Amino acid sequence: MGSRRPLPPRKDPHDHHRDPARDHAGRSDRRREGRRKDRRPDRRRPPGRRARARRRLRDPPSAAGAQGRLLLRSGHLDDGGQHAFARLLGTPTAPHPTVRGDEHAVLPIDSDHGKANSWHSDVTFVDRIPAISVLRAVTLPPYGGTTVWANTAAAYADLHPALQALVERLWAVHSNVYDYVAERDEQRIGGIDVKEQGYRDEFRSQLFETEHPVVRVHPETGERVLVLGHFVKRLVGLSSRESDALFQLLQHHVTKLENTVRWNWSPGDVAIWDNRATQHYGVADYGDHKRLLHRITVAGDVPVSIDGVPSTPRTGDATAYSTTSAA
Ligand SMILES: [Fe+2]
């Protein structure tokens, strides 16, 4: 058995992210300088409430928050308070691209409608993936019903360099009327175990399909993160068998236990997470008990690949759902 030989350096002239004159997002020095200028903080004025809140989510003091989440115990917010809190972080989206909510942009995550017990990031089937999700516990089952998050930036960083090189060139189609599990269970739509026909019809009332890079550059941290989860319909250009096998390999990598944190809800708890750098899973281990949480999502940018190419909507117009900037 010989020892593993290191891979030779790649010489592809189009491989911008290896060019020392360009950063990891493929931007040139000149363009980067321009952006630095644009983003230079104004030292004459202290940062506003929204900037401070967003910075706290990005650079929080706790270990859990350091992986893109903040978890607040036993708050006393109602829907209006949750909405006001979300506005500190950016511009709230509509409740959902297809499902009705209320005037506070709240989407009920209600076990009477379904259970989101598969790994996903929120609303990746549109081009403008929400930046932040704010989830508040309203009614909890007597046991179980925890939520688990996985860090998609750490997952990318932990990939073997050969796999990084592979996924950096891949794109995936995300859709709201398809997920891998759906092939085995008609009740599942877009990753949700949907019980009611009416809710099922509402969820699929408008088709959205968007092509996203499998690796995007986080617009605030500059990290590379994996964009996957249960809304992925297929990897572009691969056969269904290749696409399925590679998707499963990558999802297993993202969701391995060492890359996760699990939260046991108490009434009033609020979880805030960076939806661009995490996937999550609601554990459906509470039988027929009621579980109700209220979610508000904060607008995010259209993802950009490491070469600077933005995601492309194929079907559906999400402009009514969300603005495109979380800044
Ligand atoms: Fe979710």
Side-chain angles (χ1 to χ4, degrees):
M1 299 283 285
S3 59
R4 184 188 294 171
R5 190 182 295 175
L7 293 169
R10 292 186 290 175
K11 293 192 172 69
D12 182 354
H14 302 295
D15 190 3
H16 292 165
H17 63 280
R18 302 288 183 192
D19 182 346
R22 291 174 175 268
D23 67 4
H24 51 259
R27 294 185 295 252
S28 66
D29 280 346
R30 187 185 300 172
R31 191 171 155 202
R32 202 159 62 234
E33 267 310 306
R35 286 209 171 197
R36 272 198 203 120
K37 250 180 221 172
D38 294 343
R39 291 186 175 180
R40 190 173 296 158
D42 183 353
R43 298 184 186 283
R44 292 167 300 182
R45 295 173 53 191
R49 283 188 311 163
R50 181 175 288 185
R52 289 199 303 274
R54 291 177 67 84
R55 187 177 302 164
R56 182 164 168 73
L57 183 64
R58 198 173 62 234
D59 306 314
S62 71
Q67 295 194 34
R69 289 165 301 279
L70 278 179
L71 302 158
L72 307 179
R73 275 284 190 203
S74 301
H76 303 282
L77 297 177
D78 57 11
D79 284 351
Q82 184 179 358
H83 188 260
F85 182 79
R87 280 196 290 112
L88 293 174
L89 301 168
T91 304
T93 67
H96 190 270
T98 61
V99 179
R100 289 183 301 274
D102 68 6
E103 75 275 18
H104 295 298
V106 166
L107 179 74
I109 307 296
D110 189 341
S111 59
D112 289 343
H113 292 153
K115 297 174 179 175
N117 56 330
S118 72
W119 284 101
H120 65 286
S121 304
D122 287 331
V123 201
T124 62
F125 47 85
V126 299
D127 56 345
R128 54 211 66 198
I129 295 175
I132 296 166
S133 295
V134 180
L135 189 63
R136 178 170 62 92
V138 178
T139 304
L140 294 172
Y143 56 85
T146 54
T147 298
V148 191
W149 288 267
N151 185 324
T152 56
Y156 168 84
D158 194 39
L159 272 177
H160 187 283
L163 283 175
Q164 287 182 343
L166 171 64
V167 295
E168 285 166 4
R169 299 180 62 180
L170 286 175
W171 287 67
V173 176
H174 295 235
S175 173
N176 61 323
V177 295
Y178 183 91
D179 68 80
Y180 274 80
V181 189
E183 291 181 320
R184 296 184 289 280
D185 186 347
E186 267 299 302
Q187 284 206 147
R188 298 186 68 92
I189 299 173
I192 309 291
D193 181 5
V194 181
K195 291 179 180 173
E196 298 174 350
Q197 182 64 44
Y199 193 80
R200 195 151 53 236
D201 292 344
E202 189 175 6
F203 202 98
R204 67 192 342 165
S205 58
Q206 186 182 356
L207 171 64
F208 287 92
E209 286 193 336
T210 302
E211 267 190 40
H212 292 296
V214 171
V215 181
R216 73 178 286 191
V217 179
H218 193 290
E220 294 186 34
T221 67
E223 293 173 299
R224 296 179 182 192
V225 300
L226 295 172
V227 186
L228 292 165
H230 68 201
F231 293 117
V232 170
K233 182 175 180 181
R234 61 185 174 81
L235 298 171
V236 177
L238 302 187
S239 70
S240 60
R241 183 175 298 180
E242 292 168 339
S243 175
D244 192 21
L246 188 52
F247 174 81
Q248 297 298 346
L249 182 153
L250 294 169
Q251 275 295 116
H252 284 140
H253 179 79
V254 169
T255 59
K256 66 181 181 180
L257 289 177
E258 290 80 359
N259 194 40
T260 64
V261 64
R262 184 163 177 160
W263 184 252
N264 190 19
W265 295 91
S266 293
D269 283 358
V270 178
I272 309 110
W273 65 89
D274 187 333
N275 191 53
R276 301 158 296 188
T278 53
Q279 289 186 29
H280 55 281
Y281 184 114
V283 182
D285 56 354
Y286 47 90
D288 292 327
H289 294 289
K290 174 85 169 175
R291 179 181 185 267
L292 173 64
L293 300 99
H294 281 186
R295 187 187 84 189
I296 294 176
T297 44
V298 174
D301 292 324
V302 174
V304 173
S305 76
I306 63 169
D307 298 318
V309 181
S311 299
T312 307
R314 288 172 149 233
T315 306
D317 179 356
T319 53
Y321 164 64
S322 172
T323 61
T324 54
S325 173

